[in-house]
Amino acid sequence: MISECPHCHQELNFSEAQRAKIESALAALQPGKALKLGCPHCKKPIELEAGAGPKKGGAEGGVMQDILYSQGEKKAAGPPKPQPVQPPPDAPKPPDISWLGQGEQEEGGEWVEDIPTALLLVPPANGQETVSAAFKGQGYQVVIAESVEDGLERLRFAKFSAVVFHTGFEEGGLAGSFHQQMRAMAMEKRRYIYYLLIGPAFRTLYDLEALAQSANLVVNDSELKHLPVILKKGLRDYEELFNPLIMTLREHGKR
């Protein structure tokens, strides 16, 4: 699969859920069409085309192995040449968040067309009002879950654009039933939910940590005072990366 941006050559770390989204979109492309993804590092667009079909054998398999870069690079015929073994790279470091105290960044484009709703599972003592105000500031309607059971029931029958879970809301935190339900959710529903995790152990805006937890954004309790700015950045980055994929799926009548 594509492992680095052809523009800035930084690594592209896709989760299994993100890989599934991209594979679905590529499989639905018409001949001659390309799928555009935004690089999370340099923000430049990456155009991907589906290849002739899945490559048999090998660890990756599937459509992702037949992706072609928009620069016109074509897959060479015959078996791939052996590559020298490279040592695994160091994990990316948590981002610099010193800019949070400098106020809001410039506004991006609109996030969604319809009025979105956010489901909050945040204890009052852990910033419930702050989280609610931040989402309302982004135009969300906010629903407060009274318990884990209430949250699971609402999630089952209602459509939410965002879900916020604080690790102190349920005994067991990330090992509890709510987070595990979010991780196991069917992709046709999960891809439309922006999942935010809050807790004292998280490193704010650390994408690698968010991916490891099947979330879209992680925020430390100590940075909740900056949540309006963090949320704007997180939603904008998510839109730039996944909105082209979602739009392509909708064009082909898929969820």
Side-chain angles (χ1 to χ4, degrees):
M1 64 172 284
I2 183 171
S3 60
E4 66 176 34
C5 173
H7 305 292
C8 64
H9 301 292
Q10 296 196 58
E11 283 191 283
L12 301 174
N13 297 310
F14 293 114
S15 68
E16 291 301 322
Q18 292 167 340
R19 188 197 307 269
K21 293 178 184 178
I22 297 173
E23 288 191 2
S24 297
L26 288 173
L29 285 178
Q30 297 294 326
K33 298 292 184 178
L35 174 66
K36 291 186 178 181
L37 298 176
C39 173
H41 306 291
C42 68
K43 308 302 182 185
K44 293 183 179 180
I46 303 172
E47 293 188 1
L48 307 177
E49 298 176 353
K55 181 178 178 180
K56 296 181 179 179
E60 295 296 336
V63 177
M64 291 300 294
Q65 289 185 311
D66 297 294
I67 288 177
L68 305 177
Y69 285 114
S70 60
Q71 287 85 342
E73 297 175 349
K74 301 297 182 180
K75 188 175 288 187
K81 296 181 180 179
Q83 298 295 324
V85 178
Q86 298 292 336
D90 295 333
K93 296 181 179 179
D96 178 10
I97 57 174
S98 60
W99 56 269
L100 287 176
Q102 301 173 7
E104 298 182 357
Q105 295 184 324
E106 294 182 359
E107 290 283 352
E110 294 185 359
W111 166 234
V112 291
E113 297 177 358
D114 300 324
I115 299 177
T117 303
L119 174 64
L120 272 55
L121 289 87
V122 181
N126 295 105
Q128 183 186 98
E129 290 187 6
T130 300
V131 177
S132 177
F135 274 90
K136 288 179 179 179
Q138 289 294 304
Y140 281 74
Q141 301 177 78
V142 173
V143 175
I144 307 294
E146 299 297 329
S147 64
V148 171
E149 292 74 18
D150 179 42
L152 290 172
E153 189 73 6
R154 291 178 181 272
L155 196 63
R156 180 181 177 187
F157 294 105
K159 177 181 178 182
F160 292 98
S161 298
V163 173
V164 185
F165 178 71
H166 190 287
T167 55
F169 192 84
E170 180 180 11
E171 185 176 354
L174 298 179
S177 59
F178 187 84
H179 179 63
Q180 295 306 313
Q181 177 66 26
M182 288 297 298
R183 298 191 70 167
M185 185 179 294
M187 186 53 58
E188 58 266 22
K189 184 175 182 180
R190 173 65 180 87
R191 66 166 57 100
Y192 292 98
I193 298 177
Y194 189 80
Y195 187 32
L196 166 59
L197 289 174
I198 303 174
F202 294 125
R203 287 165 286 186
T204 299
L205 290 170
Y206 192 17
D207 291 338
L208 188 61
E209 191 169 36
L211 287 173
Q213 297 298 339
S214 299
N216 300 104
L217 180 67
V218 291
V219 177
N220 187 277
D221 284 341
S222 63
E223 271 85 49
L224 276 181
K225 58 183 177 291
H226 300 301
L227 187 59
V229 181
I230 295 170
L231 186 59
K232 286 184 179 181
K233 173 176 171 52
L235 291 175
R236 184 166 62 247
D237 289 348
Y238 180 80
E239 179 183 6
E240 290 176 353
L241 183 61
F242 290 107
N243 200 46
L245 171 62
I246 292 174
M247 291 301 100
T248 299
L249 290 175
R250 287 177 176 172
E251 287 175 2
H252 293 277
K254 296 185 177 181
R255 290 186 57 81

